[in-house]
Amino acid sequence: MEAAATPLYHFISSHQSLTQKQPRCYSTNFGLVNAAETLSESSPSTSLESLSSLQFDYVKKFNSLNSVRAMHAKMIKLSNEWDTKKNMQYFISGYLEFGDFQSAAVLFFVGFAENYLYWNSFLEEYTYFGGTPCEILEVFSELHSKGVNFNTEILAFVLKICSKLRDMLLGLEVHACLIKKGFDLDVYTKCALMNFYGRCCGTESANKVFKETSMHDSLLWNEAILVNLRNEKWAEGLQMFRDMQALLVKANSLTISKVLQACGKLGALDEGKHIHGYVIRYALESNILIRTALINMYVKNDNIKLARIVFDSTDNRNLPCWNSIISGYTALGYLDDAWELFHEMKTCNIKPDIITWNSLLSGYFLHGSYREVLAIVRRMQSAGYQPNRNSITCALQAVSELGYLRIGKEIHCHVLRNGLDYDLHIATSLVDMYVKNDDLTSAQAVFDCMKNRNVCAWNSLISGYSCKGHFEKAGDLLDQMKEEGIKPDIVTYNSMVSGYSTSNCIKEALGMIRRIKSSGMSPNVISWTSLVSGCSQQGYFREAFEFLTQMQDEGIKVNSVTVASLLQACAGLSLLHIGKEIHCLCIRNDFIDDVYVSTALIDMYSKCGNLENAQKVFQSLEDKTLASWNSMITGFAIYGLGTEAISLFDKMREANIQPDAITFIALLSSCKHSGLLDKGWKYFDHMKTDFGVIPTIEHYSCMVDLLGRVGYLDEASDFIQSMLMEPNAAVWGALLTSCRIHGNVELGEIAAEHLFKLEPYNAANYALMMNLYALSNRWKDVDRIRDKMEAMGVKIGPVWSWLKVDQRIHIFSTAGKTHPEEGEIFFELYKLISEMKKLGYKPDTKCVVQNISEVEKEKALLGHTEKLAITYGLIRTTSPAPIRVINNTRICSDCHTVAKYMSLLRRREIFLKDGVRFHHFRDGKCSCCDLW
């Protein structure tokens, strides 16, 4: 054991000064030496002559660590040339093989670190056998403490490891040592210093080292540029490259490739083209690294044509080159072209790798082809490729979008079978997948099994509980997160804001905004947009605009999601003028191409009574998504334009757009508003068999409404009995409405009985039943329903109508103050009624649910808010501007008839939005064709 310990002590004592370099013959590669070329087959001799020329095959001669140490000690004692490079290679490899990393590091420091050519190779060899760079620094510190002096080459090597490990203190100590000893730093050491400061302190310190250097040769320029680009200082790196070119200093291939990457990041196409010219000028086109970087640069600048030209002109295309062009095509949406290249790649004897497959996966996911993502994963596995972290996370994201929980669980099983559950990204994606598939139990289970939870995993689970209304659990997780030393970020708080907002807890959402401020952060556009969006979704449209004002007061600009939410609020309030202003904002800020914004615009114009503009927006879309098709079909539906809706659906199918459940709700709604019973049955019957869409309660409700409206009440009742799911209030409400239209009291009572149980406090159901009884003159039953409402504390809210005249809202309500110009309005209305009667108009007194005389009923009809609003519009507006009236209840048959006469007598277009749909009156006719 004493002999085995001898070598290290001998080295340290005999190499007290390593600052004097000796002329040596170095190999350009550090690694295992081929024994067949260097070893004698005979056993090692102990003679000086044989030892001096002896070469060892450590695989054959070293069978343990002790044998390495013993042979090392013997070589030192008996040979004058024990420290030849080849012998030291053997011993270093021997020490590494048997796990004595400290001895291997000492040997390297005393024999090899003087030569830059060995650094990377030694690190690779060292880590290959299980050593860590930290151990190398420990050896350095130990040798330094024993008084060993190191030259600049060794100190540069140590700086390189400090950079790798982000060991700032030791790196600063090394720099201080260099300054103290007054070394004249060579270019390699300067590069090592710049690299160290760039990684550990930032680019400012690295650039300071560069500026303080008097002589800037090409190696130093290249390193300075790379340090900036590694720290994502793209603009600074590009500027340094320009300065370098001005001094006629030549860039190396790595620098050029990184500068081209910067052009891609910055969208600097012109700059990239200039660098392309530089490449051609210096005849660097044959460099495959640069060619690949050129392809990536053009792709990042959305110029696939130039990228393809570079690719096609490349002779020696390697795998990264193919991957770059395929990735470019998928990223820009040319998915078919990407597959063609994929097949061409195989014919060129280039075998795709996992990066190739992942490029296809990410491209299809990016462009919403989620089913194809899962198909590609299966195809990849069939081809013998094992999905990696990126493949699995992409597949899990596709599962989240599709809601395919079963397939998500299958992927989870694959992760467990292959031992990938340790991967933080995969585990976080699993939590997110379960959250988005409403399986919070499984999400919690995956989260609990995670050993290292990052802030993304916490945010995903907190968001899941928050969005489902489990605020207590979300709050507990937020507290637990802090206890475990994970600081909540703005995303954490935003998920809580969003959850509260969408759950109608506006005060709590505002409280979370205040909490963000108290934690030292500032609410961002997502924070406020979550609040605006939640209000819009919950019907708090006015509050949405109030929060917009607060958002703007804090200097936060809206984004496309904010705009989409505001358009939803405009649609809810029928604020056409404000909607048009937001449309202009979209055009000015380039939001118009955003799929959510364009869809929201179509919806806003449709619901604000401007179907023509909705169609213009729809037709202007180059990339029509399923959502935009659905929105336009819905627009036709609420106007009762069933034929147009069906025609658009046919065009959608011709465009190879697969319909979903929302499409068929829109189609069935258009059929019910247009009385297209046969078409309605056709789509309901075929939606599952032909399109794989399973009918939901909304589809059943539409069918009940369709059957009832056209008078097939018994069939509607039978249809409800045959439903595969429990009828809800919407289904029974559709039947009761139809019973009121056709005066069927018996079925109406059945529907009302169910509604009073399902929605005991919904005044609209009681009002419908009272109307139905009033039609049959069953006034005692009307009083009975009214008494029941009074006993339960149910009150019918005020009926109101409003219109906008000269930028001012005029409200006509059954409660509150009368309109200041009421006298003039009634005078004009009486005049209109007189003219209508001459044309055959007869008041429909059945619309009055009061047991009074016919004369009193006619007077009561005159007070309906729709009539007053339209009349005021006729007085205060001039042709050809249409009159737009919003009403909060379903228009009665008498007001509907009066509106038709008004449009005929005054030759005005009238748009009336009631609680159900739009009515467009023109020339004495309505767009609903009296089917409402």
Side-chain angles (χ1 to χ4, degrees):
M1 294 300 292
E2 291 179 5
T6 302
L8 277 180
Y9 291 103
H10 177 82
F11 295 147
I12 295 170
S13 62
S14 62
H15 289 78
Q16 287 298 306
S17 178
L18 297 176
T19 58
Q20 300 263 337
K21 289 195 286 186
Q22 300 175 358
R24 303 180 188 274
C25 181
Y26 295 115
S27 170
T28 56
N29 292 308
F30 176 79
L32 304 180
V33 179
N34 190 332
E37 296 176 356
T38 61
L39 276 189
S40 168
E41 293 295 332
S42 59
S43 299
S45 169
T46 58
S47 68
L48 292 177
E49 183 181 356
S50 61
L51 277 172
S52 65
S53 60
L54 184 64
Q55 305 296 327
F56 292 99
D57 180 352
Y58 85 92
V59 175
K60 294 182 180 179
K61 300 302 178 183
F62 300 147
N63 52 28
S64 68
L65 180 59
N66 283 338
S67 69
V68 180
R69 289 173 174 169
M71 185 59 70
H72 193 181
K74 188 181 293 185
M75 284 287 292
I76 294 170
K77 289 178 181 179
L78 301 178
S79 173
N80 292 328
E81 299 180 9
W82 64 268
D83 60 348
T84 62
K85 295 296 109 176
K86 290 184 179 179
N87 285 340
M88 292 188 73
Q89 285 176 355
Y90 285 130
F91 286 119
I92 289 174
S93 297
Y95 282 124
L96 289 174
E97 174 73 12
F98 295 107
D100 189 351
F101 301 111
Q102 186 181 32
S103 296
V106 171
L107 270 177
F108 181 77
F109 274 120
V110 299
F112 283 98
E114 298 173 4
N115 193 317
Y116 297 108
L117 296 173
Y118 293 105
W119 292 0
N120 287 329
S121 298
F122 175 69
L123 277 175
E124 289 175 11
E125 192 89 1
Y126 197 85
T127 54
Y128 172 79
F129 282 107
T132 63
C134 291
E135 295 168 322
I136 300 176
L137 292 185
E138 289 171 5
V139 170
F140 168 79
S141 298
E142 183 182 349
L143 292 174
H144 185 61
S145 67
K146 292 181 182 293
V148 177
N149 293 319
F150 297 104
N151 61 13
T152 57
E153 289 90 338
I154 297 173
L155 294 175
F157 174 62
V158 172
L159 277 172
K160 180 177 181 181
I161 300 177
C162 289
S163 302
K164 187 180 182 71
L165 298 178
R166 302 290 200 275
D167 191 335
M168 187 170 71
L169 292 178
L170 183 57
L172 291 172
E173 187 178 338
V174 170
H175 192 184
C177 181
L178 288 166
I179 296 170
K180 192 185 300 181
K181 293 183 180 294
F183 282 134
D184 184 16
L185 303 186
D186 64 14
V187 66
Y188 292 102
T189 311
K190 290 171 185 173
C191 288
L193 268 175
M194 288 169 57
N195 184 41
F196 162 71
Y197 279 113
R199 288 183 182 274
C200 298
C201 303
T203 54
E204 288 185 10
S205 299
N207 290 338
K208 190 175 181 181
V209 173
F210 176 71
K211 290 174 183 176
E212 289 176 353
T213 304
S214 56
M215 297 293 291
H216 293 162
D217 66 358
S218 63
L219 192 61
L220 208 60
W221 269 107
N222 282 284
E223 182 64 28
I225 294 169
L226 289 173
V227 165
N228 280 273
L229 297 180
R230 274 195 294 264
N231 285 276
E232 297 187 359
K233 300 289 184 180
W234 309 114
E236 291 85 347
L238 266 178
Q239 185 57 51
M240 291 187 80
F241 181 77
R242 294 188 198 102
D243 296 341
M244 178 182 173
Q245 283 184 299
L247 295 172
L248 302 179
V249 179
K250 190 173 181 181
N252 62 33
S253 59
L254 179 60
T255 303
I256 293 171
S257 65
K258 290 294 182 181
V259 170
L260 286 168
Q261 182 187 3
C263 293
K265 293 285 186 180
L266 296 171
L269 179 60
D270 291 338
E271 189 79 24
K273 287 180 177 179
H274 292 155
I275 296 171
H276 193 172
Y278 176 90
V279 168
I280 296 170
R281 190 163 60 252
Y282 285 95
L284 298 171
E285 307 101 305
S286 60
N287 188 298
I288 193 65
L289 177 65
I290 293 176
R291 281 204 169 257
T292 304
L294 280 167
I295 292 169
N296 286 326
M297 183 274 294
Y298 283 123
V299 165
K300 293 291 184 183
N301 283 283
D302 298 337
N303 198 323
I304 196 67
K305 289 183 179 179
L306 288 179
R308 186 58 184 265
I309 289 171
V310 175
F311 176 78
D312 289 338
S313 62
T314 304
D315 295 327
N316 54 334
R317 300 171 192 159
N318 60 3
L319 181 58
C321 189
W322 281 95
N323 284 344
S324 293
I325 193 67
I326 290 173
S327 175
Y329 272 105
T330 57
L332 296 176
Y334 302 104
L335 304 177
D336 293 337
D337 297 284
W339 274 115
E340 286 179 15
L341 281 166
F342 180 82
H343 296 306
E344 184 184 340
M345 177 182 183
K346 291 183 176 180
T347 62
C348 294
N349 294 321
I350 300 292
K351 187 179 180 182
D353 63 357
I354 192 66
I355 296 173
T356 322
W357 287 101
N358 285 345
S359 296
L360 292 166
L361 285 171
S362 62
Y364 274 90
F365 177 81
L366 184 65
H367 292 89
S369 301
Y370 306 121
R371 291 185 180 88
E372 286 77 2
V373 169
L374 300 179
I376 291 170
V377 172
R378 287 190 289 269
R379 185 171 173 180
M380 180 174 72
Q381 289 179 297
S382 300
Y385 292 88
Q386 193 73 356
N388 66 1
R389 172 207 288 182
N390 294 334
S391 322
I392 291 170
T393 52
C394 189
L396 287 170
Q397 288 172 334
V399 166
S400 299
E401 295 294 335
L402 293 167
Y404 288 177
L405 180 59
R406 182 182 60 80
I407 294 178
K409 289 183 176 180
E410 289 177 7
I411 296 173
H412 191 177
C413 291
H414 172 87
V415 168
L416 294 172
R417 282 196 305 271
N418 290 274
L420 297 172
D421 51 318
Y422 72 90
D423 188 284
L424 184 61
H425 293 279
I426 292 176
T428 304
S429 296
L430 280 167
V431 171
D432 191 58
M433 181 275 294
Y434 280 121
V435 165
K436 289 179 178 175
N437 280 279
D438 298 332
D439 189 350
L440 290 176
T441 304
S442 297
Q444 184 73 61
V446 174
F447 180 82
D448 291 340
C449 291
M450 293 175 68
K451 294 181 180 178
N452 298 311
R453 303 164 184 155
N454 60 6
V455 69
C456 296
W458 286 96
N459 287 347
S460 184
L461 194 59
I462 289 171
S463 174
Y465 281 115
S466 178
C467 290
K468 292 299 173 187
H470 304 306
F471 300 116
E472 185 177 350
K473 182 65 177 175
D476 291 342
L477 279 170
L478 187 59
D479 295 335
Q480 183 186 344
M481 178 183 185
K482 293 178 181 177
E483 290 170 5
E484 295 191 14
I486 304 294
K487 186 178 179 180
D489 59 12
I490 191 68
V491 177
T492 319
Y493 290 111
N494 283 347
S495 65
M496 296 291 288
V497 173
S498 178
Y500 280 127
S501 300
T502 54
S503 297
N504 200 13
C505 301
I506 306 301
K507 289 183 179 179
E508 289 81 357
L510 276 172
M512 194 57 63
I513 292 283
R514 288 191 289 271
R515 190 169 172 181
I516 292 172
K517 294 178 180 178
S518 64
S519 66
M521 292 181 282
S522 297
N524 60 11
V525 64
I526 298 174
S527 315
W528 287 106
T529 298
S530 298
L531 200 53
V532 171
S533 176
C535 289
S536 296
Q537 291 174 32
Q538 295 298 317
Y540 294 103
F541 304 122
R542 294 182 186 276
E543 288 80 357
F545 285 105
E546 289 173 6
F547 292 135
L548 171 67
T549 303
Q550 292 183 40
M551 175 181 174
Q552 290 176 322
D553 289 343
E554 295 196 7
I556 298 172
K557 293 183 179 181
V558 299
N559 62 13
S560 58
V561 181
T562 322
V563 167
S565 300
L566 291 172
L567 287 169
Q568 185 179 0
C570 289
L573 293 171
S574 296
L575 299 175
L576 179 61
H577 182 69
I578 295 177
K580 286 182 176 181
E581 289 180 357
I582 295 174
H583 191 173
C584 293
L585 175 73
C586 294
I587 295 171
R588 286 196 303 272
N589 291 276
D590 293 326
F591 294 151
I592 202 70
D593 292 329
D594 184 280
V595 61
Y596 296 104
V597 171
S598 58
T599 303
L601 277 169
I602 295 168
D603 185 62
M604 182 275 295
Y605 278 121
S606 297
K607 291 178 179 177
C608 287
N610 197 326
L611 191 61
E612 184 180 352
N613 275 4
Q615 287 178 275
K616 286 180 180 178
V617 173
F618 177 76
Q619 290 164 0
S620 68
L621 297 179
E622 292 182 9
D623 240 348
K624 295 180 176 68
T625 62
L626 175 60
S628 59
W629 286 96
N630 286 347
S631 188
M632 195 66 249
I633 293 172
T634 302
F636 284 128
I638 60 177
Y639 281 85
L641 303 175
T643 305
E644 288 83 351
I646 291 169
S647 175
L648 190 62
F649 174 75
D650 293 337
K651 290 178 181 176
M652 171 182 158
R653 295 295 300 126
E654 291 172 6
N656 294 319
I657 302 293
Q658 184 73 10
D660 63 0
I662 297 172
T663 315
F664 284 102
I665 291 173
L667 269 177
L668 292 174
S669 295
S670 68
C671 290
K672 78 178 184 182
H673 287 314
S674 304
L676 302 174
L677 181 60
D678 292 339
K679 288 286 185 181
W681 269 121
K682 172 190 170 183
Y683 291 123
F684 184 82
D685 289 337
H686 290 196
M687 60 186 288
K688 182 178 180 181
T689 56
D690 293 356
F691 302 100
V693 178
I694 299 173
T696 63
I697 195 71
E698 288 82 4
H699 299 101
Y700 282 105
S701 176
C702 284
M703 283 307 300
V704 171
D705 206 352
L706 173 57
L707 288 165
R709 283 175 187 272
V710 295
Y712 291 94
L713 296 174
D714 291 333
E715 288 80 355
S717 178
D718 293 340
F719 183 80
I720 294 173
Q721 302 304 320
S722 66
M723 283 173 56
L724 300 177
M725 57 191 73
E726 192 69 23
N728 66 358
V731 174
W732 290 113
L735 182 62
L736 179 56
T737 300
S738 298
C739 290
R740 190 203 64 80
I741 292 171
H742 298 286
N744 191 321
V745 177
E746 184 180 352
L747 274 179
E749 288 177 331
I750 295 172
E753 185 180 348
H754 287 283
L755 284 168
F756 295 159
K757 290 178 182 177
L758 292 169
E759 297 179 331
Y761 298 101
N762 187 345
N765 298 327
Y766 297 96
L768 274 173
M769 201 59 215
M770 285 193 290
N771 282 331
L772 181 55
Y773 282 134
L775 286 172
S776 303
N777 292 317
R778 293 174 56 170
W779 299 109
K780 289 184 179 180
D781 288 317
V782 171
D783 293 337
R784 178 174 56 82
I785 296 294
R786 191 175 283 118
D787 293 341
K788 186 175 182 178
M789 289 177 65
E790 187 175 344
M792 295 186 66
V794 179
K795 294 182 179 179
I796 296 176
V799 177
W800 50 257
S801 299
W802 65 266
L803 80 164
K804 191 173 185 180
V805 177
D806 295 331
Q807 304 303 313
R808 184 180 175 185
I809 301 294
H810 294 264
I811 300 173
F812 299 85
S813 175
T814 55
K817 295 181 179 179
T818 59
H819 194 278
E821 299 177 67
E822 186 181 57
E824 186 179 355
I825 294 168
F826 272 106
F827 180 81
E828 179 66 19
L829 182 56
Y830 277 114
K831 183 179 176 182
L832 282 165
I833 293 295
S834 177
E835 292 180 44
M836 291 177 201
K837 287 182 177 179
K838 292 177 181 178
L839 296 176
Y841 162 70
K842 291 182 180 180
D844 187 355
T845 54
K846 291 181 180 179
C847 296
V848 180
V849 192
Q850 291 174 284
N851 190 12
I852 54 179
S853 67
E854 290 296 307
V855 174
E856 291 298 318
K857 286 182 179 181
E858 286 188 25
K859 289 181 180 180
L861 286 174
L862 290 175
H864 282 198
T865 60
E866 303 97 306
K867 293 187 181 75
L868 298 176
I870 296 171
T871 303
Y872 187 74
L874 292 172
I875 296 170
R876 291 288 175 253
T877 63
T878 57
S879 185
I883 296 168
R884 301 179 187 277
V885 174
I886 312 301
N887 178 247
N888 69 330
T889 60
R890 184 178 180 275
I891 187 173
C892 73
S893 59
D894 185 70
C895 288
H896 192 265
T897 303
V898 167
K900 288 195 290 185
Y901 275 110
M902 286 179 171
S903 70
L904 177 65
L905 287 168
R906 295 295 182 261
R907 298 191 177 280
R908 298 288 297 275
E909 281 187 86
I910 301 168
F911 288 92
L912 190 146
K913 181 184 179 183
D914 66 10
V916 180
R917 56 174 293 170
F918 256 102
H919 299 268
H920 180 197
F921 301 98
R922 183 168 54 186
D923 298 328
K925 297 179 181 177
C926 180
S927 59
C928 72
C929 299
D930 297 335
L931 291 166
W932 88 98

